[in-house]
Amino acid sequence: MNNIILPSTSIMVTEACTLKCKLCLAFVPYYQKHTQMNLQEAKTIFERYFQIVDGVEKVSITGGEPLLNPEIDSILKLLYGYADKILKEIIFITNGTIRFSDTLLETFANNKKMKVIVNNYSTLLSPYAEENYNKLCEKGINAILYTEDNRYGWIDCRNHELKHKTQEACEQQAKGCAFFQGKKYVINRGRLYTCTRAAYRIQENIIPYTNDAFLDLLDDEVSVEFQRNKLNALLNARSTISCAYCDGLTEKSVKYRAAEQL
Ligand code: SF4
């Protein structure tokens, strides 16, 4: 079988957040319940994920707000154990609402692939964004501060009605979607999904789906080979079931100001 190198995988280490953004692309404020990844689960999930894929270009640690996970430092160190399979970057995305601990700053500094994205939504919403960013710079950690001046506009993906009724229309949607084309996969609750929209819609039973739409990384009854075949099928598909219910991120998407609160 061919090597499987994924372009991108986000790991949602918590579904808890300090903000309630109306247009959260992970739909976190709309979850019925909020869970988080613990270290034991992380061990199982990472081990299986890195057995299935031969490599991944970028891994992002996201949430929710990842700093709310009390085991975040240990989870990050665990991920570093697979750094040779993470070909370009390990990205940590935070919203500037919580100060970095000195321990976590040390952990960031200990891996050259680490890049930290600090979002500054406003001084009111993200009171520690500037301070956190400055600390990262002082320690020589690769960091980006996103403000209203340099971030991409947000989009509204909250309409989950069936929009593309034929296979052709669905494929057309996926073809124009930056998330689909970038294979922006996400791990949440032990499952690997093809994007955060798909994750939410399947997890919350908003759309019809089959088990072919995701990989269960906590299922030790199925072989790695079986899951590699399943992943290859997802990678080669020209759309996903979720694309039928989606406007995605296309050239036509209307852009909105970031982080408007509910
Ligand atoms: S069209 Fe929607 S569901 Fe399909 S990949 Fe893009 S964002 Fe995900």
Side-chain angles (χ1 to χ4, degrees):
M1 181 177 288
N2 58 319
N3 267 6
I4 301 181
I5 307 289
L6 290 185
S8 168
T9 300
S10 293
I11 302 167
M12 282 179 72
V13 293
T14 178
E15 295 163 357
C17 197
T18 42
L19 297 177
K20 282 182 94 176
C21 298
K22 187 168 92 176
L23 300 183
C24 175
L25 264 188
F27 305 105
V28 162
Y30 303 100
Y31 277 35
Q32 290 181 35
K33 60 173 186 172
H34 293 83
T35 68
Q36 68 185 6
M37 182 185 273
N38 64 40
L39 187 58
Q40 194 50 48
E41 278 165 356
K43 277 184 186 151
T44 311
I45 289 165
F46 294 173
E47 190 182 348
R48 180 47 77 114
Y49 172 84
F50 286 105
Q51 282 171 340
I52 296 167
V53 305
D54 298 290
V56 52
E57 290 181 1
K58 295 180 184 183
V59 171
S60 304
I61 300 290
T62 67
E65 169 49 55
L67 293 175
L68 287 177
N69 186 316
E71 295 182 294
I72 189 59
D73 187 62
S74 304
I75 291 174
L76 199 51
K77 283 176 179 149
L78 187 68
L79 185 64
Y80 285 177
Y82 298 94
D84 57 331
K85 288 192 160 198
I86 303 171
L87 309 177
K88 292 185 179 160
E89 290 176 329
I90 303 169
I91 303 167
F92 191 98
I93 303 174
T94 176
N95 63 18
T97 58
I98 301 173
R99 277 197 177 97
F100 290 143
S101 67
D102 289 341
T103 313
L104 191 61
L105 282 165
E106 277 311 308
T107 304
F108 287 154
N110 282 342
N111 195 302
K112 290 281 163 255
K113 287 180 182 162
M114 198 68 222
K115 177 164 102 181
V116 182
I117 294 179
V118 181
N119 280 293
N120 186 356
Y121 295 124
S122 69
T123 42
L124 200 65
L125 291 178
S126 309
Y128 301 111
E130 292 275 347
E131 180 186 320
N132 281 350
Y133 175 70
N134 289 338
K135 281 192 181 161
L136 293 163
C137 294
E138 277 164 26
K139 291 200 172 286
I141 298 159
N142 188 8
I144 301 179
L145 181 68
Y146 279 132
T147 66
E148 217 43 52
D149 297 332
N150 65 349
R151 75 161 57 85
Y152 299 107
W154 283 22
I155 58 169
D156 190 348
C157 281
R158 293 174 302 158
N159 181 329
H160 308 297
E161 285 165 16
L162 179 62
K163 299 178 184 68
H164 313 290
K165 294 184 180 156
T166 63
Q167 184 60 25
E168 197 188 351
C170 198
E171 288 177 10
Q172 199 57 32
Q173 165 60 35
K175 198 173 169 188
C177 175
F179 297 125
F180 186 86
Q181 293 308 321
K183 306 286 175 213
K184 303 279 187 189
Y185 287 11
V186 59
I187 294 173
N188 195 30
R189 298 187 189 174
R191 290 172 167 187
L192 179 70
Y193 295 97
T194 47
C195 74
T196 40
R197 269 63 50 201
Y200 172 72
R201 291 172 184 141
I202 291 170
Q203 216 167 255
E204 304 286 309
N205 276 313
I206 291 171
I207 60 170
Y209 64 90
T210 66
N211 287 348
D212 291 338
F214 59 86
L215 267 67
D216 187 349
L217 303 173
L218 298 174
D219 184 357
D220 54 12
E221 306 260 297
V222 294
S223 68
V224 170
E225 209 48 36
F226 175 84
Q227 288 189 313
R228 279 174 66 88
N229 284 330
K230 215 168 147 180
L231 181 55
N232 254 322
L234 287 171
L235 282 166
N236 290 324
R238 291 207 282 220
S239 66
T240 73
I241 180 64
S242 181
C243 301
Y245 298 80
C246 200
D247 287 327
L249 173 56
T250 69
E251 282 185 344
K252 290 190 213 140
S253 298
V254 178
K255 298 291 171 56
Y256 298 88
R257 194 182 164 83
E260 189 188 332
Q261 297 299 286
L262 283 168

